[in-house]
Amino acid sequence: MFLPKQFHFLFFLFFLVLNVFAQDKGKLMPFKKIIIAIEQQHQVSFNYTEDNIAGLEIIPPKKSFSLEQKLEYLAKKTNLSFENIGNKFINIYKKDTEAPIICGYIFSSTDKKPIENANISLLNKIQATTDSNGYFEFKKEEATVFLVSHVGFVTKRIVATNTDSKNCLQTVLEPEITELHEIKANAILASGISKNKDGSFEIKPKKFGILPGLIEPDALQTMQQIPGVNSLDESVSSINVRGGTHDQNLFLWNGIRMYQTGHFFGLISVFNPNLAHTISIYKNGSSAFYGESVSSVVAISSTPETAEKNSFSAGINMINADVYAKYNLSKKSYIEISARKSITDFVETPTYKEYFNKVFQNTTITDFSQNQNVDYQSDKKFDFYDATLKYAQKIGSKDQIVLDLITIKDNLEVFQSATVYNMNTSENNVLRQQNYGGNLSWKRNWNNFNTTKINVYNSAYELLANQKTTFENQIVIQENTVNNNGINLENNHIINSKFSFNDGYQFNEIGITNLEQVTNPDFYRKVKDVLRTHALILEGKYNDTISKVYFKAGTRINYIEKFKKYIVEPRIQFGYGINKNLNLELLGELKSQNSQQIIDLQKDYFGIEKRRWIISNNTTIPIQKSKQVSLNLFYQKNDWLLDIENFYKKVNGITTSSQGFQNQLEFVKTTGDYEIWGMETLIQKKMNHFLTWLSYTYNHNDYHFINYEYPSFPNNFELMHTISWAGIYEKNNFKIALGTKWSSGRPKTSPITSQIDPSDPVLVYNKPNNTNLHVFSQVNISSTYKWETANGIQYKLGISILNILNRKNEISEYYRISSLTNSIEEVETFSLQRTPNLSFRVSL
């Protein structure tokens, strides 16, 4: 049973944070708030210890003062001294320092940039670590010799002969050989999107630029711009990566597997775009630590890589409003919360109306209205929300504990009634979809070369449909629930600057329940299945930047308790720099998956979210297994970028029920595979503030059902040709993007004849997927502008228009026999019409 009240304390904490931000602004101001304002106005960074400024309040200096005037003023009003280093870094010390302070800055010799998280060791004990500016300080002990170390750099021995705290040391470290995780392309498709050497795409939402049709860095909308990633029905709940179905993708939020990915039944991502710090997307060659998927991996992390200041932001668009707050409880702990809710309770915007019309096409809800033409009335209520909480606590210098919680909910209520021949008939429909999750993780840095991570997680999902009809006095209830929990252990070992390896263990338990209950006539069925798996993982990584060789190989050994079955899943990533501009990349993987989504009947759950999760039984519902290999050439020179990738992928163990057939295979239960091969190409050019790119994807995707009369035919999700283009302009705080997407139509099955015998109405089809829909073509535009006031408040305004030309794109088509005329009826579903959106955001 789902208890959303367990998450109500999220909102209590939210108001607590609001209270902190809303403290009274008297004449005396906290010293910390004053220097933060100086940092923002003069673009400098203060380095200090919290003890030196704790509880200090003074009248702030005039904003018109120069930086030096302000520092002199602060020095007079406090017992502090200030060291200005190049009008960039300012060190703060107490004038009556009890013990001498040793301070300094650590830089890299190659690019002269500060080195963060370098360890400063004295007498075999770490005294301090450097911050994002490379700065450190600690109290001088008897010994004056200390070591400076950082992974990938040669450890340096320093003799502190001068202990004057106002004369900080400046030390340069020489790189050993750069530890891997360099970025191959710093801006691909848009700023904030990059491609790593392991073949994955990485999105940094806080550095995200702009893409056509997007005004926010929505993870699941953004990934659809990557070649090979599509959504045939414009839904983030139906993302197809190289021919796979949506359930074959693994979606992780801070280590929690998410079974619901879309609000508004797929038109909006459930992941708050203003919250994530890093989004990693793997189409192939994923780490052996990722299991339970035969297609892509999307891993979203909201944990910042470095310490951040207190912040608050709030925003609204034509669908929802949201708030976000982060508050540092101490130097070693912080709390972060976010909440987002639809605004449909208050207003129905043009955007909402277009979304509603798109979602409810050809569902039982619209069927009811189309079958009534006398005194028809309808009352609908739709809303959604999501909320998250993060608490992070460092314990000492080696341990950190992080707690993550997330709650997501969509709720639809539709009441419809009509009067025909003095007879009242009505339907009351309720559809609820929700996902709750939690993850508790502990990380231990044993030393510079060994790290352990342990996390315990739970994810609970529910899809509930309740329909009451007065005409037949019938109640129909359908419910699909998933309860997934487990524990992960991961150890990381660095042998030297070239070689490292990881090992770990994972336990996963998943329980899925499907309930169907009907009154008049009475029917009840409840099926619950539980599956427990264990996995041992080992992977090694070799990186030599001199010989330009990168090699990572791993294996995952799964053991499924119920079937007493072992499954071995090797993974490989190989990269070679042919020269400084051209790289060759080979990726390969074997993967498996024990759960999947199927469709029993197209009208299940009102035909809106008709897919339900089930578990493999290793017979009629096999374990899905995939194998994939890809070869990539990547060229980059003079702001030109060319990426060409050829791939082959095969997935065994699929069922017809999981593929969404709406032809002669809709009620056929059989198993088989799909096989896809193709090419993905991207060419990109950057010119000053302008970025433009063109991508082309070709794939050939076929089903194989050997026990069916047509053993081979095109895949439902085949888009043989896809072309995308975008032109993006970014200068200062203004951004604008225009783009278009064109694709060949998806396969469909036509009937042999358009006429049937009314006395025996039966649809007779051609070979499955014998023809295609018309081509899909859409032009989108978006633009944002950001500005900041003198007191540091940032404002951001965004506008977007999807389908500017208002083209009527058909995204699915099937045939049925009309119950009124006993003739063949063609049922078409169309994409969004012209859809505007407007957003406004304030950040402190």
Side-chain angles (χ1 to χ4, degrees):
M1 182 178 179
F2 291 84
L3 297 173
K5 291 182 179 179
Q6 295 174 350
F7 295 84
H8 286 181
F9 70 95
L10 283 169
F11 301 101
F12 168 77
L13 291 170
F14 167 67
F15 288 114
L16 178 64
V17 173
L18 280 180
N19 184 57
V20 171
F21 278 97
Q23 296 296 318
D24 182 39
K25 296 182 180 179
K27 290 186 178 181
L28 289 177
M29 287 182 61
F31 185 84
K32 187 171 183 178
K33 195 169 184 179
I34 293 172
I35 63 175
I36 289 174
I38 295 174
E39 285 180 331
Q40 294 174 343
Q41 183 179 357
H42 296 281
Q43 302 298 309
V44 296
S45 179
F46 284 91
N47 295 308
Y48 56 90
T49 60
E50 292 285 347
D51 293 339
N52 286 348
I53 66 170
L56 185 59
E57 292 186 348
I58 63 170
I59 297 173
K62 293 181 180 179
K63 288 188 178 180
S64 58
F65 280 5
S66 67
L67 177 61
E68 287 301 323
Q69 288 174 324
K70 289 178 180 177
L71 295 180
E72 290 175 6
Y73 175 89
L74 296 178
K76 289 179 181 178
K77 297 292 183 180
T78 65
N79 193 32
L80 301 173
S81 60
F82 300 84
E83 178 190 15
N84 187 352
I85 302 176
N87 285 331
K88 187 173 183 182
F89 305 114
I90 299 172
N91 299 327
I92 302 176
Y93 312 97
K94 271 195 174 181
K95 292 177 182 177
D96 57 346
T97 305
E98 298 176 1
I101 294 293
I102 295 178
C103 63
Y105 291 88
I106 308 299
F107 300 94
S108 169
S109 65
T110 55
D111 56 12
K112 309 305 179 186
K113 291 184 178 180
I115 299 176
E116 187 178 4
N117 293 325
N119 290 324
I120 315 301
S121 303
L122 184 67
L123 300 175
N124 296 322
K125 181 180 179 183
I126 295 176
Q127 297 291 324
T129 57
T130 56
D131 61 16
S132 58
N133 299 319
Y135 176 80
F136 70 89
E137 71 176 39
F138 60 90
K139 290 185 179 181
K140 178 181 177 298
E141 306 288 347
E142 292 183 2
T144 56
V145 178
F146 60 93
L147 301 177
V148 181
S149 61
H150 190 280
V151 174
F153 291 87
V154 178
T155 299
K156 195 165 188 177
R157 182 174 179 268
I158 305 293
V159 179
T161 56
N162 188 346
T163 59
D164 182 4
S165 63
K166 292 189 178 182
N167 187 15
C168 291
L169 301 166
Q170 295 197 22
T171 303
V172 175
L173 294 186
E174 298 291 335
E176 233 175 356
I177 290 178
T178 305
E179 177 66 17
L180 190 70
H181 281 316
E182 327 169 7
I183 299 299
K184 283 173 58 177
N186 291 325
I188 185 166
L189 301 174
S191 56
I193 306 177
S194 55
K195 189 176 182 182
N196 294 321
K197 273 197 172 181
D198 61 2
S200 67
F201 286 83
E202 187 173 85
I203 303 172
K204 297 283 190 180
K206 293 192 175 182
K207 298 179 181 179
F208 180 75
I210 195 170
L211 282 169
L214 296 181
I215 48 181
E216 295 177 321
D218 186 300
L220 304 189
Q221 295 284 3
T222 301
M223 71 177 289
Q224 294 178 45
Q225 305 289 333
I226 298 172
V229 183
N230 290 291
S231 177
L232 275 66
D233 60 0
E234 295 185 310
S235 168
V236 296
S237 294
S238 183
I239 293 177
N240 316 112
V241 180
R242 291 180 173 171
T245 54
H246 184 77
D247 60 299
Q248 293 174 345
N249 303 311
L250 175 64
F251 295 95
L252 295 173
W253 184 86
N254 288 323
I256 307 165
R257 180 170 186 182
M258 303 305 297
Y259 293 88
Q260 178 184 349
T261 58
H263 281 312
F264 219 131
F265 304 107
L267 290 179
I268 305 167
S269 168
V270 298
F271 306 113
N272 191 326
N274 303 295
L275 182 65
H277 286 271
T278 305
I279 302 163
S280 300
I281 301 167
Y282 299 82
K283 293 188 290 184
N284 186 18
S286 57
S287 166
F289 282 90
Y290 295 124
E292 192 56 25
S293 75
V294 291
S295 197
S296 74
V297 175
V298 180
I300 302 173
S301 171
S302 65
T303 303
E305 297 173 351
T306 57
E308 295 183 345
K309 299 174 182 177
N310 295 339
S311 60
F312 174 81
S313 66
I316 189 170
N317 58 37
M318 297 176 74
I319 292 295
N320 58 259
D322 76 282
V323 291
Y324 164 82
K326 178 181 180 293
Y327 179 66
N328 292 312
L329 302 172
S330 68
K331 291 177 64 176
K332 293 188 175 183
S333 64
Y334 69 87
I335 189 170
E336 179 182 68
I337 62 174
S338 73
R340 181 171 54 158
K341 190 182 187 308
S342 59
I343 61 174
T344 53
D345 293 346
F346 313 104
V347 61
E348 291 189 3
T349 64
T351 309
Y352 167 78
K353 292 176 181 177
E354 289 297 335
Y355 279 15
F356 190 90
N357 293 336
K358 160 70 171 59
V359 169
F360 295 104
Q361 295 178 84
N362 305 319
T363 64
T364 60
I365 291 174
T366 51
D367 285 349
F368 182 94
S369 62
Q370 291 167 1
N371 290 335
Q372 312 297 331
N373 53 20
V374 180
D375 294 333
Y376 171 74
Q377 294 181 336
S378 175
D379 181 30
K380 60 181 180 293
K381 179 183 178 182
F382 172 75
D383 65 271
F384 66 81
Y385 70 81
D386 58 72
T388 67
L389 166 71
K390 176 187 289 290
Y391 172 74
Q393 174 71 59
K394 286 187 177 180
I395 304 172
S397 61
K398 298 191 175 191
D399 298 274
Q400 183 181 35
I401 293 176
V402 179
L403 172 67
D404 287 291
L405 298 173
I406 185 170
T407 175
I408 300 162
K409 186 175 181 179
D410 284 61
N411 194 71
L412 170 70
E413 297 179 17
V414 180
F415 178 77
Q416 302 176 104
S417 64
T419 303
V420 182
Y421 303 121
N422 296 321
M423 183 178 296
N424 294 324
T425 179
S426 67
E427 281 188 4
N428 189 20
N429 304 290
V430 177
L431 182 62
R432 182 174 71 232
Q433 188 178 26
Q434 53 191 356
N435 202 157
Y436 304 119
N439 181 62
L440 179 63
S441 65
W442 168 66
K443 180 180 179 180
R444 169 80 175 181
N445 293 318
W446 302 100
N447 50 47
N448 291 340
F449 308 102
N450 298 280
T451 304
T452 295
K453 302 174 187 175
I454 298 176
N455 68 289
V456 181
Y457 63 89
N458 174 265
S459 182
Y461 168 82
E462 180 193 44
L463 177 63
L464 174 68
N466 190 321
Q467 182 182 57
K468 298 179 182 179
T469 58
T470 57
F471 181 70
E472 298 175 337
N473 192 27
Q474 186 181 65
I475 299 175
V476 179
I477 298 174
Q478 293 179 304
E479 185 180 35
N480 178 222
T481 62
V482 180
N483 191 37
N484 178 214
N485 54 74
I487 183 170
N488 297 334
L489 167 65
E490 180 179 349
N491 296 304
N492 310 114
H493 313 281
I494 298 174
I495 307 304
N496 53 46
S497 59
K498 295 181 181 180
F499 182 69
S500 63
F501 75 93
N502 307 320
D503 58 83
Y505 164 79
Q506 295 179 355
F507 169 76
N508 181 272
E509 180 185 70
I510 182 171
I512 296 180
T513 303
N514 279 287
L515 168 70
E516 292 179 273
Q517 185 175 356
V518 181
T519 62
N520 195 24
D522 291 341
F523 173 80
Y524 181 87
R525 180 177 63 183
K526 182 177 181 180
V527 179
K528 181 176 182 179
D529 294 296
V530 178
L531 211 60
R532 298 180 183 90
T533 59
H534 305 263
L536 292 175
I537 301 114
L538 179 66
E539 61 183 15
K541 181 172 62 179
Y542 175 83
N543 178 59
D544 188 342
T545 55
I546 295 178
S547 61
K548 299 177 183 178
V549 172
Y550 167 67
F551 180 71
K552 183 177 180 179
T555 188
R556 179 186 182 92
I557 304 174
N558 298 311
Y559 175 71
I560 307 172
E561 286 187 7
K562 188 174 182 178
F563 309 138
K564 295 180 174 56
K565 187 179 181 70
Y566 288 95
I567 300 176
V568 180
E569 302 177 7
R571 318 282 173 88
I572 185 172
Q573 303 165 6
F574 173 77
Y576 176 66
I578 298 173
N579 55 47
K580 65 178 181 178
N581 304 118
L582 183 63
N583 287 279
L584 176 71
E585 179 183 80
L586 176 68
L587 303 175
E589 64 182 19
L590 297 183
K591 299 169 75 175
S592 66
Q593 183 171 333
N594 298 313
S595 60
Q596 60 179 283
Q597 283 183 307
I598 64 166
I599 299 173
D600 276 347
L601 297 172
Q602 290 291 335
K603 297 303 181 182
D604 283 350
Y605 300 96
F606 312 134
I608 300 172
E609 181 52 81
K610 50 201 170 189
R611 297 166 300 175
R612 65 179 74 197
W613 286 95
I614 62 169
I615 292 179
S616 169
N617 60 16
N618 205 30
T619 53
T620 57
I621 308 171
I623 298 170
Q624 297 183 72
K625 297 179 182 178
S626 69
K627 54 185 177 183
Q628 184 177 186
V629 64
S630 61
L631 183 65
N632 172 255
L633 278 175
F634 187 91
Y635 177 81
Q636 189 174 18
K637 185 178 182 181
N638 298 332
D639 291 326
W640 279 98
L641 183 152
L642 177 64
D643 193 355
I644 303 174
E645 187 164 7
N646 296 280
F647 68 91
Y648 169 83
K649 175 182 173 184
K650 185 175 183 179
V651 178
N652 295 295
I654 66 170
T655 64
T656 48
S657 300
S658 68
Q659 301 300 303
F661 285 107
Q662 290 182 284
N663 52 20
Q664 63 266 54
L665 280 157
E666 181 174 349
F667 303 107
V668 174
K669 307 294 183 184
T670 189
T671 62
D673 65 70
Y674 69 82
E675 191 173 29
I676 178 172
W677 56 271
M679 178 184 70
E680 298 158 357
T681 304
L682 173 69
I683 184 169
Q684 177 180 292
K685 173 64 176 175
K686 190 176 188 306
M687 298 168 285
N688 297 322
H689 302 288
F690 183 71
L691 176 74
T692 185
W693 52 263
L694 178 71
S695 71
Y696 169 71
T697 301
Y698 170 82
N699 69 69
H700 183 86
N701 191 353
D702 281 340
Y703 287 125
H704 300 104
F705 295 107
I706 59 175
N707 295 322
Y708 184 62
E709 60 177 314
Y710 299 107
S712 180
F713 53 89
N715 192 301
N716 291 341
F717 303 101
E718 179 186 69
L719 290 181
M720 189 165 285
H721 305 281
T722 303
I723 300 174
S724 296
W725 169 83
I728 302 169
Y729 180 80
E730 297 184 23
K731 186 174 182 181
N732 299 327
N733 294 323
F734 175 73
K735 301 173 184 178
I736 188 169
L738 175 69
T740 183
K741 188 169 188 176
W742 179 97
S743 63
S744 52
R746 67 184 296 183
K748 72 168 186 176
T749 307
S750 63
I752 290 178
T753 176
S754 59
Q755 303 295 326
I756 59 173
D757 183 358
S759 63
D760 184 22
V762 176
L763 259 174
V764 181
Y765 288 97
N766 284 298
K767 181 181 177 180
N769 294 340
N770 64 307
T771 185
N772 294 79
L773 300 178
H774 297 296
V775 298
F776 178 98
S777 178
Q778 191 178 83
V779 179
N780 306 314
I781 191 171
S782 58
S783 180
T784 63
Y785 180 70
K786 183 170 64 175
W787 69 98
E788 184 174 340
T789 62
N791 57 3
I793 300 176
Q794 290 186 352
Y795 300 92
K796 183 178 180 182
L797 181 67
I799 185 170
S800 69
I801 304 175
L802 296 174
N803 197 6
I804 300 173
L805 305 180
N806 205 29
R807 179 182 169 90
K808 196 173 184 180
N809 288 301
E810 188 181 9
I811 55 177
S812 77
E813 180 181 312
Y814 67 94
Y815 299 86
R816 66 186 179 189
I817 297 175
S818 171
S819 59
L820 299 176
T821 63
N822 273 353
S823 60
I824 296 178
E825 182 180 21
E826 185 180 48
V827 182
E828 299 172 307
T829 302
F830 296 94
S831 67
L832 281 168
Q833 297 295 289
R834 184 186 295 118
T835 306
N837 200 0
L838 184 69
S839 70
F840 179 69
R841 188 159 201 86
V842 181
S843 302
L844 304 178

